[in-house]
């Protein structure tokens, strides 16, 4: 039977000085996400799961917080950060100059790049081949920006969907011929849907981008989570989480560049 720490401090490994680290004292931070973006965030048995979840939980523990991660959706996450109803956005969000005008970002925690996913048989070898094709992107993402950079901003061949999952549904149903999304997400979808015949191709026109934890502008949490992330980079925890989800060693130096 579990012994309550509150009743029996000596049973909980302490002189008593440590008692303020007990979970009952920790502030719970409200986190928004768009959880159709495996392997970063996706719903698993009713819970948000993924690389981002493990990393955020580790960083929060390091900084002395608990997190309540809700699948708010992308737009509501961004709105919730602006209105400060949310403390954190954790959703594979790329750090961009434009977004930095509205939000604060942590130090980078993942390097990504855009990738094109399409069904085998579609004639796509480079990004230029997107021209004249029906393209699906998640609305308001860097995938949209990457697609627009190739075919033009007002090109009606780009369909914009509310979630990442809807872009892949459109690809499978044939509503679009290509999806422009983040590399690890394209790979994960291809891997999880072996019968869908999904191919992927990158292009030098797509430039590296970096994910950061998002905070309302001016949030004090930024400094605390930067410190926590740096600790996780140093003490091996980040590498452990990375290996769990990506089956390889991370290149932490690339995040510091
Ligand atoms: N990294 C891209 C961006 O920031 C896509 C993020 C989409 N995330 C998601 N959970 N659907 O625009």
């Amino acid at each position: 039977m579990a012994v309550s720490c509150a009743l029996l401090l000596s049973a909980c490994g302490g002189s008593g000085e440590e008692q303020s680290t007990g979970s009952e004292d920790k502030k719970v931070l409200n986190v928004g996400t768009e959880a159709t973006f495996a392997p970063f965030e996706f719903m698993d048995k009713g819970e948000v799961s993924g690389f981002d979840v493990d990393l955020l939980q580790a960083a929060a523990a390091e900084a002395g917080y608990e997190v309540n991660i809700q699948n708010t959706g992308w737009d509501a996450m961004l709105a919730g950060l602006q209105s400060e109803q949310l403390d954190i956005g954790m959703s594979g969000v790329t750090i961009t100059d434009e977004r930095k005008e509205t939000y604060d970002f942590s130090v980078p925690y993942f390097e990504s790049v855009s990738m094109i996913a399409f069904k085998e048989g579609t004639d796509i070898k480079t990004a230029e081949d997107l021209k004249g094709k029906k393209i699906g992107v998640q609305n308001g993402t860097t995938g949209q920006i990457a697609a627009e950079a190739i075919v033009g901003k007002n090109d009606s061949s780009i369909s914009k969907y509310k979630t990442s999952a809807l872009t892949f549904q459109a690809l499978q149903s044939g509503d679009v011929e290509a999806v422009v999304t983040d590399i690890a997400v394209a790979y994960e979808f291809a891997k999880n849907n072996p019968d869908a015949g999904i191919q992927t191709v990158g292009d030098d026109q797509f430039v590296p981008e970096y994910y950061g934890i998002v905070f309302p502008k001016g949030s004090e949490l930024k400094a605390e989570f930067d410190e926590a992330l740096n600790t996780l980079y140093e003490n091996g925890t980040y590498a452990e989480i990375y290996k769990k989800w990506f089956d390889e060693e991370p290149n932490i130096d690339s995040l510091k560049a």
Side-chain angles (χ1 to χ4, degrees), residues 34 37 41 74 91-94 99 138 141-142 182 209 211:
E34 194 288 286
F37 202 62
E41 44 267 328
W74 184 258
S91 209
V93 183
T94 300
R99 288 175 180 162
Q138 187 188 343
T141 62
T142 50
D182 295 13
E209 43 188 271
Y211 297 168

Side-chain angles (χ1 to χ4, degrees), residues 2 41 147-148 154 161 237:
E41 44 267 328
E148 287 174 347
N154 295 313
Y161 298 92
T237 307

Side-chain angles (χ1 to χ4, degrees), residues 235-252:
N235 71 12
T237 307
Y238 176 86
E240 236 172 75
I241 296 171
Y242 191 98
K243 275 183 275 183
K244 170 181 165 190
W245 289 99
F246 299 104
D247 243 344
E248 59 181 32
E249 292 285 340
N251 177 1
I252 294 176

Side-chain angles (χ1 to χ4, degrees), residues 16-164:
E17 281 153 37
E18 301 271 48
Q19 55 181 292
S20 62
T21 60
S23 64
E24 50 274 45
D25 305 313
K26 286 189 187 166
K27 186 175 176 210
V28 180
L29 302 175
N30 287 315
V31 182
T33 193
E34 194 288 286
T36 74
F37 202 62
F40 298 100
E41 44 267 328
F42 55 96
M43 297 308 292
D44 184 20
K45 300 184 197 84
E47 305 254 318
V48 187
S49 174
F51 173 82
D52 279 357
V53 174
D54 287 357
L55 184 64
L56 186 67
Q57 267 162 355
E62 188 60 43
Y65 293 101
E66 282 187 13
V67 285
N68 172 21
I69 305 178
Q70 297 295 327
N71 184 14
T72 54
W74 184 258
D75 294 341
M77 172 185 76
L78 295 177
L81 288 165
Q82 279 203 58
S83 65
E84 297 184 24
Q85 263 149 337
L86 292 176
D87 302 299
I88 288 179
M90 186 69 169
S91 209
V93 183
T94 300
I95 304 167
T96 68
D97 287 341
E98 198 190 338
R99 288 175 180 162
K100 279 203 280 193
E101 288 171 14
T102 315
Y103 313 96
D104 280 345
F105 283 90
S106 70
V107 292
Y109 73 83
F110 190 87
E111 182 181 344
S112 180
V113 69
S114 283
M115 177 126 248
I116 304 166
F118 56 97
K119 277 203 216 170
E120 65 198 358
T122 312
D123 181 28
I124 298 180
K125 292 182 193 69
T126 71
E128 286 302 309
D129 296 324
L130 288 173
K131 289 179 177 156
K133 299 259 182 348
K134 284 186 274 175
I135 307 163
V137 297
Q138 187 188 343
N139 189 42
T141 62
T142 50
Q144 177 183 341
I145 296 169
E148 287 174 347
I150 309 290
V151 304
K153 205 170 161 47
N154 295 313
D155 198 296
S156 60
S157 65
I158 301 180
S159 300
K160 301 168 201 135
Y161 298 92
K162 257 193 164 340
T163 70
S164 176

Side-chain angles (χ1 to χ4, degrees), residues 9-15 18:
L9 282 167
S10 60
C12 301
S15 55
E18 301 271 48

